[in-house]
Amino acid sequence: MKAFRLDELEAERAANAGAYLQFLRERNMSVGLYALDAGAHDPQKPHNQDEVYFVVSGRASVTVGAETTEVARGSIVYVPAGVPHRFHHISEDLRVLVVFSPPEA
């Protein structure tokens, strides 16, 4: 078993001064914590993997392809591989669990 605590992951991510911390990598998937502070710009480019976002905290809009929706704590968003996407209008610090399948390269 591998078990994680969100507060510990957030502390590790912050200590490494990055917006993204991959904390699990297995044969068929990887999982990370993505953080964008209120007002930040999301620099993401399309990925070669399918993604699932689970919003742990915060508020923002997310655009996937031509569709836009608002997200907040508890929101889940699926992003197909190769589709442009980004978070924007981040009104509260955003913390998102990201699952990539297959694992992010």
Side-chain angles (χ1 to χ4, degrees):
M1 174 199 294
K2 295 178 183 179
F4 305 92
R5 290 181 43 101
L6 190 57
D7 58 341
E8 293 171 356
L9 294 172
E10 175 63 11
E12 183 179 349
R13 185 205 58 78
N16 290 316
Y20 184 72
L21 171 70
Q22 183 182 92
F23 61 88
L24 179 65
R25 183 179 183 84
E26 296 295 333
R27 185 171 53 90
N28 293 314
M29 65 177 225
S30 61
V31 184
L33 177 64
Y34 191 41
L36 293 166
D37 291 337
H41 168 73
D42 182 2
Q44 291 194 81
K45 304 276 192 250
H47 303 284
N48 295 323
Q49 306 83 4
D50 287 341
E51 293 177 81
V52 173
Y53 290 117
F54 174 74
V55 178
V56 175
S57 63
R59 290 190 170 281
S61 294
V62 64
T63 297
V64 178
E67 296 181 84
T68 298
T69 191
E70 296 200 12
V71 295
R73 182 175 168 244
S75 296
I76 300 169
V77 178
Y78 167 68
V79 179
V83 175
H85 59 284
R86 68 181 183 93
F87 292 97
H88 52 93
H89 296 97
I90 302 165
S91 59
E92 295 176 15
D93 293 352
L94 195 61
R95 299 301 181 263
V96 181
L97 287 178
V98 185
V99 179
F100 286 98
S101 181
E104 185 180 31

